Amino acid sequence: MPEQELVIYNATVVTMDADSTILPRGYVMVRDGGIAAVEAGDPPATAGGERLDAEGGLVLPGLINTHTHAAMTLFRGLADDLPLMQWLESYIFPAEARMDAAFVHTGARLACAEMIRAGITCFCDMYLFAHEVARAARDCGVRAVVGEVLYDFPSPNYGPIEAGFAYTRELIETWRGDPLVSVAVQPHAPYTCRPELLREADRIARHYDVPLVMHLAETDGETRQIQERYGLRPVAHLDRLGLLHANLIADHAVWLTADEIALMAQRGVRVAHCVESNMKLASGVAQLPELLAAGVTVGLGTDGCASNNDLDLFGEMDTVAKLHKVQRLDPTVMDAATVLRLATIEGARVLGLAHRIGSLETGKRADLIVVDTRQPHLTPLYNPVSHLVYAARSADVRHTVIDGRLVMRDRRLLTIDLASLLDQARAKAALVTSWVA
Amino acid sequence: MPEQELVIYNATVVTMDADSTILPRGYVMVRDGGIAAVEAGDPPATAGGERLDAEGGLVLPGLINTHTHAAMTLFRGLADDLPLMQWLESYIFPAEARMDAAFVHTGARLACAEMIRAGITCFCDMYLFAHEVARAARDCGVRAVVGEVLYDFPSPNYGPIEAGFAYTRELIETWRGDPLVSVAVQPHAPYTCRPELLREADRIARHYDVPLVMHLAETDGETRQIQERYGLRPVAHLDRLGLLHANLIADHAVWLTADEIALMAQRGVRVAHCVESNMKLASGVAQLPELLAAGVTVGLGTDGCASNNDLDLFGEMDTVAKLHKVQRLDPTVMDAATVLRLATIEGARVLGLAHRIGSLETGKRADLIVVDTRQPHLTPLYNPVSHLVYAARSADVRHTVIDGRLVMRDRRLLTIDLASLLDQARAKAALVTSWVA
């Protein structure tokens, strides 16, 4: 049972509510995992439970990572700066072919440790052995949307695709009603999934009323490949299959025409924008301002650590704000307030969780972080939103609360034995080294 | 008098020498401010003085910030996401018109605190009241190349340009022979400095044999303005004035033709590449791979905090590696090893200090940092160079040593009373708020 009551006071409260309200000195009261009050001033002296003095820091909703492959923490820095196919074929595929459930469990826990320390309180994961990702998230106390990656070739986890569908159904049924973990159906991408696979995945998602998540239009090469194979670009291909609907979360969505953006907006497709991965893999620059102008709901994602190489939405925010400015030589695009919304409330919308998380409002679940502003690089403080996007770093996150539970206090992880976890990660890395040798 | 001896052991030593030697387990011995030994294995038990156990972390040369305006820390987050002229005319110019020596001293000390904590051991600064920047650097124990910014209009510091030349001469003479601080002559840019000013600045630099530092070709607008005024693009304009020589350090150098790059290489002009500033101000993307291919010596710079908004070369390295990849859709450009060289030994070359700093080699001054790798986001560790560029953050810097002196130990600043400095910074910020109201 988590603490019944927790109050965080002496804070600048960045609510991310519809009016982007900021309380220059206020408090947040947490009761039974939910937000009981968000108020200006000091809390009543009678407020029970645990009291956390933010010491003038910022309190804001936990950041939401709308796309990652958590267990790939174990591949971070294994190989970089290579052409995509060489990187996949010489390193990632051989390693993934050998991995097992225990490997994914360790990698996902390592990711949870990193995310809690970076102020990420919710992530959407696509990977193999998704049950293990779910268990890792639950054990670490991190909110997650997980899904087993589905594709045409045999999987190191489930084997043939029929077993993948069965695994997915069982995953959904197992985790139904869990306070932290939910499940999505996650076919990999149009270029790795035949139309029949995609249709069946969509049927399962509809049957269980869970999101459908897919990589979409990540590279120009993929776009051309789909066009050659099906005579249509990826978005039109999905549309013909009946998959371009409001239940679809499209990861990356880099290579889009204006018409495709308009169609995605019309259909209510949501997008996970993974700017640093797109840069490092040289995939391309997504048309983020156009997506937003068209009314598409967009959140931010880190992608996996093999292609980024971190799980750090403070870094992503900074890069999102800067890249799109230089891309169009206009310093006014992707202003800090817009970017901070993408990392919080809009991320919640992407995952279909905005009724529960994404802002500090009474009645929502208590997923929140405290940022320590008593730092040279955050002093003076003219504008909290500017600092959060352009100057704060993940290491400035002092406390992390998820579903009302304090999972990090003064940068000490409370749900993870870090030293032991790092030892386990090193042991798994020794395996990886032997696999790719 | 600094400690006579200091040995850092149990470290992976990333030397950045000509062979990019990495010692998987080694030590660095420091004596009288210089590097006495860089060796594999453990130090002799007889090694005297202070012994620092790096606990398996990375030891590398301190990072070198080749272009900043340190005191602008006090303007960080004051205004963002605005068109350049509105930002300058409504915020920066009014504030700078009112500032004084004490303001610059506080801002520069705040910058030193941030840089020491970010593993930056040397910076090249262009600003007003440069004596104060020099004093701040000396007092904080940070290596610096400072210079008074010179331009056609009256300066809030020295008044008319003749006084600016006198101030610069006196600056050079005052700091000559200082172990940490040296001086450069720093005309602002071709568009803010008449030809006579530039020629006189160059004469002073030659007379005293100090570098000439200037913003060059930062924006397309500047390039067109110079062309309209002088009938030549900025590089050709400087060439006609006789200023395009091996003593020139060009800040930014974004808008260049292939011929201009070749000419700069031929003349030995050095470049401070400020990628995040160029992105946030939407100046453009410098042709960094082409500059390097042509043989131009390039280092990295943060620029000032009003346009970045931090002094963090770990962030700059990550962005440099990623931006140029996506810019040309090639994941192999600006690999991690190349980028780490820019932030260390190449930065030293840019500042003309490579005989003294930039690598861990016997006989050089002991400017070095220890990065703590016992972190979720740095575990496992396959490749130290990959982690330093793509995953490590400034907060992972545990110890900082400059000229043999430990200026940060376990993230505690040893040369700065941080709480008092942050209070002073807040007081200056209150002034700024009143100035721009």
Side-chain angles (χ1 to χ4, degrees):
Chain A
M1 194 78 181
E3 290 91 344
Q4 296 287 305
E5 276 203 356
L6 168 67
V7 59
I8 296 151
Y9 65 101
N10 188 14
T12 295
V13 185
V14 180
T15 66
M16 305 312 292
D17 66 9
D19 301 323
S20 296
T21 306
I22 294 176
L23 307 173
R25 186 192 166 93
Y27 66 93
V28 179
M29 181 95 72
V30 176
R31 192 173 297 135
D32 294 328
I35 298 176
V38 181
E39 301 284 349
D42 290 319
T46 58
E50 186 156 14
R51 296 171 71 95
L52 269 186
D53 184 349
E55 301 187 71
L58 309 178
V59 176
L60 67 151
L63 305 183
I64 294 174
N65 186 356
T66 59
H67 178 58
T68 190
H69 313 283
M72 294 184 92
T73 47
L74 292 173
F75 299 141
R76 175 177 12 230
L78 177 63
D80 305 282
D81 310 319
L82 295 175
L84 184 66
M85 289 321 293
Q86 187 182 339
W87 174 70
L88 286 173
E89 290 175 1
S90 301
Y91 295 92
I92 302 303
F93 291 161
E96 288 188 343
R98 304 284 290 272
M99 67 169 50
D100 60 11
F103 186 96
V104 170
H105 189 74
T106 298
R109 287 179 67 230
L110 186 62
C112 286
E114 180 178 356
M115 287 193 277
I116 291 171
R117 284 164 55 97
I120 294 171
T121 56
C122 177
F123 67 103
C124 182
D125 196 71
M126 174 191 282
Y127 210 53
L128 302 155
F129 301 95
H131 264 306
E132 299 303 325
V133 181
R135 287 188 188 110
R138 181 197 58 196
D139 295 350
C140 298
V142 180
R143 197 177 300 281
V145 180
V146 307
E148 182 71 18
V149 62
L150 304 171
Y151 37 52
D152 292 333
F153 26 96
S155 153
N157 176 21
Y158 54 74
I161 186 60
E162 281 310 321
F165 294 139
Y167 186 97
T168 296
R169 285 192 200 93
E170 198 254 322
L171 191 70
I172 296 170
E173 286 169 9
T174 301
W175 294 94
R176 190 183 271 165
D178 189 273
L180 284 179
V181 176
S182 60
V183 174
V185 182
Q186 307 214 4
H188 179 262
Y191 68 98
T192 46
C193 298
R194 277 185 289 257
E196 311 85 74
L197 192 165
L198 293 176
R199 280 207 200 89
E200 178 60 18
D202 190 43
R203 269 192 291 272
I204 297 171
R206 284 171 193 267
H207 176 76
Y208 289 101
D209 192 24
V210 301
L212 181 72
V213 176
M214 195 184 325
H215 295 111
L216 181 65
E218 181 176 357
T219 67
D220 187 35
E222 166 196 338
T223 302
R224 283 187 276 112
Q225 199 178 334
I226 294 294
Q227 186 136 26
E228 279 164 27
R229 207 182 293 171
Y230 303 108
L232 292 169
R233 291 168 55 87
V235 170
H237 172 59
L238 288 193
D239 193 34
R240 184 161 66 180
L241 295 174
L243 266 66
L244 205 72
H245 49 57
N247 198 39
L248 176 66
I249 300 172
D251 300 324
H252 300 292
V254 173
W255 292 85
L256 302 175
T257 66
D259 286 351
E260 287 166 349
I261 290 171
L263 186 62
M264 286 171 69
Q266 186 191 322
R267 297 293 170 78
V269 175
R270 294 161 275 163
V271 166
H273 177 59
C274 304
V275 69
E276 291 192 11
S277 168
N278 297 159
M279 293 169 77
K280 181 157 182 276
L281 299 181
S283 306
V285 180
Q287 297 170 74
L288 180 58
E290 286 76 7
L291 283 162
L292 296 176
V296 175
T297 298
V298 181
L300 304 185
T302 58
D303 207 356
C305 282
S307 59
N308 186 334
N309 295 352
D310 55 27
L311 306 171
D312 183 348
L313 287 175
F314 282 96
E316 298 287 329
M317 286 198 288
D318 188 41
T319 304
V320 164
K322 287 172 178 164
L323 177 65
H324 298 284
K325 288 174 170 61
V326 80
Q327 170 77 0
R328 53 203 73 211
L329 299 182
D330 178 355
T332 70
V333 300
M334 297 313 302
D335 61 272
T338 300
V339 172
L340 187 60
R341 293 191 71 80
L342 300 193
T344 54
I345 184 65
E346 296 301 317
R349 286 212 173 91
V350 166
L351 300 183
L353 296 173
H355 57 298
R356 304 190 72 212
I357 58 171
S359 60
L360 301 181
E361 295 180 87
T362 303
K364 285 199 177 181
R365 303 307 297 165
D367 290 10
L368 56 88
I369 60 178
V370 178
V371 171
D372 185 355
T373 53
R374 300 165 305 171
Q375 310 276 351
H377 62 279
L378 299 177
T379 306
L381 193 164
Y382 297 105
N383 177 342
V385 173
S386 167
H387 271 14
L388 286 169
V389 171
Y390 290 122
R393 285 185 273 274
S394 56
D396 300 323
V397 177
R398 188 175 160 198
H399 312 302
T400 301
V401 174
I402 304 177
D403 213 47
R405 182 186 189 189
L406 202 51
V407 294
M408 182 175 75
R409 180 178 193 140
D410 283 316
R411 295 212 53 74
R412 201 168 67 80
L413 296 173
L414 302 179
T415 55
I416 297 169
D417 176 345
L418 186 58
S420 156
L421 174 59
L422 297 186
D423 281 343
Q424 291 164 42
R426 288 183 197 108
K428 297 301 181 195
L431 291 177
V432 172
T433 303
S434 72
W435 294 339
V436 302
Chain B
M1 194 78 181
E3 291 88 349
Q4 294 287 304
E5 276 202 0
L6 168 68
V7 60
I8 295 152
Y9 65 102
N10 188 12
T12 295
V13 184
V14 180
T15 66
M16 305 311 293
D17 66 10
D19 301 322
S20 296
T21 306
I22 295 178
L23 307 174
R25 184 189 168 93
Y27 66 92
V28 179
M29 181 95 70
V30 176
R31 192 173 297 135
D32 293 328
I35 297 176
V38 180
E39 300 286 348
D42 290 319
T46 56
E50 186 155 14
R51 296 171 73 93
L52 269 186
D53 183 350
E55 300 187 72
L58 309 177
V59 176
L60 65 152
L63 306 182
I64 295 173
N65 186 355
T66 59
H67 178 58
T68 189
H69 312 283
M72 293 185 93
T73 47
L74 293 173
F75 299 142
R76 172 170 23 222
L78 177 65
D80 305 283
D81 309 319
L82 296 174
L84 184 66
M85 289 321 292
Q86 187 181 339
W87 174 71
L88 286 173
E89 289 175 2
S90 300
Y91 295 92
I92 302 304
F93 290 161
E96 287 188 344
R98 305 282 291 274
M99 68 170 46
D100 60 12
F103 186 96
V104 170
H105 189 74
T106 298
R109 286 180 67 232
L110 185 62
C112 287
E114 181 178 357
M115 288 192 279
I116 291 171
R117 283 165 55 98
I120 294 171
T121 56
C122 176
F123 67 102
C124 182
D125 197 72
M126 174 193 281
Y127 211 53
L128 303 155
F129 300 98
H131 264 305
E132 299 302 325
V133 180
R135 287 187 188 110
R138 180 196 59 197
D139 294 350
C140 297
V142 179
R143 196 177 301 281
V145 180
V146 307
E148 182 72 16
V149 63
L150 305 170
Y151 37 51
D152 291 333
F153 26 97
S155 153
N157 176 21
Y158 54 75
I161 186 60
E162 281 310 321
F165 295 138
Y167 186 97
T168 296
R169 285 190 202 94
E170 198 254 323
L171 190 71
I172 296 169
E173 286 169 9
T174 301
W175 293 95
R176 188 183 273 166
D178 189 273
L180 285 179
V181 176
S182 60
V183 175
V185 181
Q186 306 213 5
H188 178 263
Y191 69 98
T192 46
C193 298
R194 277 185 290 254
E196 311 84 75
L197 191 165
L198 294 176
R199 280 207 200 89
E200 179 60 18
D202 189 44
R203 267 192 292 271
I204 297 171
R206 284 171 191 268
H207 177 77
Y208 289 101
D209 192 23
V210 301
L212 182 71
V213 176
M214 194 183 326
H215 295 111
L216 180 65
E218 181 175 358
T219 67
D220 187 35
E222 166 195 336
T223 301
R224 282 187 277 113
Q225 199 179 333
I226 294 295
Q227 185 136 28
E228 280 165 27
R229 208 183 292 171
Y230 303 108
L232 293 170
R233 292 170 53 88
V235 169
H237 172 59
L238 287 194
D239 193 34
R240 183 162 63 184
L241 295 174
L243 267 65
L244 204 72
H245 49 57
N247 198 39
L248 177 65
I249 300 172
D251 300 324
H252 301 291
V254 174
W255 292 86
L256 301 175
T257 65
D259 287 349
E260 286 165 350
I261 290 172
L263 187 61
M264 286 170 70
Q266 186 191 324
R267 297 295 170 78
V269 175
R270 294 160 275 164
V271 166
H273 177 57
C274 304
V275 69
E276 292 194 9
S277 168
N278 297 159
M279 293 170 78
K280 180 156 183 276
L281 299 181
S283 305
V285 179
Q287 298 170 73
L288 180 57
E290 287 76 7
L291 283 162
L292 295 176
V296 175
T297 298
V298 181
L300 304 185
T302 58
D303 207 356
C305 282
S307 58
N308 187 334
N309 295 352
D310 54 28
L311 305 171
D312 183 349
L313 286 176
F314 283 96
E316 298 287 330
M317 285 197 288
D318 188 41
T319 304
V320 164
K322 287 173 177 163
L323 176 66
H324 298 285
K325 287 174 170 61
V326 79
Q327 168 78 0
R328 53 202 73 209
L329 300 182
D330 178 355
T332 69
V333 300
M334 298 313 301
D335 61 273
T338 301
V339 173
L340 187 60
R341 292 190 72 81
L342 299 194
T344 54
I345 184 65
E346 296 301 316
R349 286 211 174 93
V350 167
L351 300 184
L353 296 173
H355 57 297
R356 306 190 71 212
I357 58 171
S359 60
L360 301 182
E361 295 180 87
T362 303
K364 284 199 176 183
R365 303 308 295 165
D367 289 10
L368 56 89
I369 60 178
V370 179
V371 170
D372 185 356
T373 53
R374 302 165 304 171
Q375 310 276 350
H377 63 279
L378 299 178
T379 306
L381 192 163
Y382 297 104
N383 177 341
V385 173
S386 167
H387 271 14
L388 286 169
V389 171
Y390 290 122
R393 285 185 273 274
S394 57
D396 301 323
V397 178
R398 188 173 161 200
H399 312 300
T400 301
V401 173
I402 304 176
D403 213 47
R405 180 187 190 189
L406 200 52
V407 294
M408 180 175 76
R409 179 177 196 143
D410 285 315
R411 295 210 55 72
R412 201 168 66 79
L413 296 173
L414 302 178
T415 55
I416 297 170
D417 176 345
L418 186 58
S420 155
L421 173 58
L422 297 186
D423 281 342
Q424 291 165 40
R426 289 183 196 107
K428 297 301 182 195
L431 290 177
V432 172
T433 304
S434 72
W435 293 339
V436 302

